[in-house]
Amino acid sequence: MKAVFLGPPGVGKGTQAAQVSQRHGWAHVSTGDMLREAVAAKSPVGLEAKKYMDAGGLVPDEVVIRIVEQRLSRPDCGRGVILDGFPRTVAQAEALEKALENGGLDAVIFVNAGDDVLIRRLSGRRVCRACGAVFHVETMAPKNKGLCDKCGGELYQRDDDREQTIRERLRVYKRQTAALIDYYKVRDLLVEVAGDREIREVQAAIEKALTERART
Ligand code: AP5
């Protein structure tokens, strides 16, 4: 299975991609996570990416395409791969087509929800500094406030989850990424899943869509 999880910031792509890839033993390739790791490591890519991420904009295509090409060449991607947050522009989608010459994509799962839901989810999100697990202060609260259920690490709020940056990310999504909905529709790869439901319901809809696409 080679699938893209597409959708606006905060809709739950990362939450769903982590669960689906773990269940099936597929690689979870999140450009947001890879870029945050590069920022934390203060690598040249991280130093370049940070200014765009802090402002809520997109990191330049050539930077993101390079890290995705490198990641896809690793052996664990051979069993299956879920791309989370990539592609985000038509140029990235075209680069992905070239990188996946052998058979291309099986599905693009477009998870969607309204801005009010997205803003609530992003402003309440908390992430574990140690293992990256994602929580929400209301809908997925940790058992012990401020601490990760999985490893006991400290939970923090992402810098780009402040209200002003959230609004800019939503604008950037509409301006630069939403065009991919039509791009994949005409290629008959797009399956839309309503994201404004409970995590388990969204998960069931995604599993059903992936199973159907695997048969075609
Ligand atoms: P990235 O990390 O990819 O950010 P994003 O796309 O904005 O997505 P998010 O991680 O914010 O949200 P999500 O949809 O994964 O939601 P989540 O599951 O966490 O990218 C960050 C930045 O990196 C970008 O702004 C850009 O600068 C750069 N970048 C990354 N990729 C790039 C690319 N390809 N090109 C250029 N630049 C790139 O859920 C959100 C919250 O909601 C959580 O708290 C969760 O617990 C909760 N939640 C999830 N589902 C539900 C549900 N069904 N019900 C209730 N709560 C839920």
Side-chain angles (χ1 to χ4, degrees):
M1 172 60 65
K2 280 169 269 173
V4 164
F5 282 14
L6 174 70
V11 76
K13 303 178 299 294
T15 301
Q16 298 295 340
Q19 296 184 359
V20 168
S21 51
Q22 196 182 20
R23 188 169 324 114
H24 295 279
W26 299 332
H28 174 192
V29 176
S30 157
T31 40
D33 288 348
M34 289 192 285
L35 289 167
R36 277 184 291 279
E37 277 164 27
V39 170
K42 297 192 168 63
S43 70
V45 165
L47 295 176
E48 161 84 356
K50 188 174 178 349
K51 52 184 187 275
Y52 298 98
M53 296 170 80
D54 285 350
L58 293 186
V59 175
D61 285 337
E62 60 275 17
V63 175
V64 184
I65 288 169
R66 203 168 49 238
I67 63 170
V68 170
E69 283 172 349
Q70 284 167 0
R71 180 67 186 86
L72 289 177
S73 67
R74 293 205 345 222
D76 64 323
C77 290
R79 288 193 302 268
V81 57
I82 303 289
L83 286 144
D84 160 16
F86 182 94
R88 264 169 148 101
T89 63
V90 170
Q92 292 180 18
E94 288 169 351
L96 179 62
E97 255 168 47
K98 284 199 197 118
L100 294 177
E101 270 167 4
N102 296 339
L105 284 172
D106 299 297
V108 175
I109 306 294
F110 168 43
V111 190
N112 202 11
D115 284 3
D116 50 337
V117 172
L118 303 174
I119 291 166
R120 250 195 334 268
R121 286 189 186 170
L122 289 171
S123 46
R125 173 164 58 188
R126 299 292 181 271
V127 184
C128 175
R129 256 188 221 289
C131 74
V134 174
F135 297 85
H136 190 280
V137 291
E138 288 162 9
T139 58
M140 224 213 250
K143 289 191 191 85
N144 298 307
K145 192 163 178 258
L147 294 179
C148 176
D149 288 354
K150 295 186 181 151
C151 74
E154 179 205 358
L155 301 185
Y156 79 105
Q157 182 171 33
R158 270 170 49 176
D159 286 344
D160 61 350
D161 280 348
R162 318 274 167 186
E163 189 170 340
Q164 218 184 340
T165 318
I166 291 174
R167 291 195 185 279
E168 177 58 13
R169 285 162 64 202
L170 292 173
R171 274 194 291 272
V172 166
Y173 168 77
K174 285 170 194 159
R175 223 169 33 228
Q176 293 182 266
T177 305
L180 292 178
I181 299 165
D182 282 340
Y183 180 93
Y184 284 122
K185 218 182 252 175
V186 299
R187 285 162 178 76
D188 201 21
L189 284 168
L190 197 88
V191 184
E192 183 163 355
V193 166
D196 53 356
R197 299 178 279 174
E198 288 208 358
I199 291 176
R200 261 180 305 143
E201 292 177 81
V202 180
Q203 203 180 103
I206 290 176
E207 285 291 350
K208 184 166 174 275
L210 290 174
T211 307
E212 282 168 9
R213 294 298 311 193
R215 284 202 205 105
T216 59

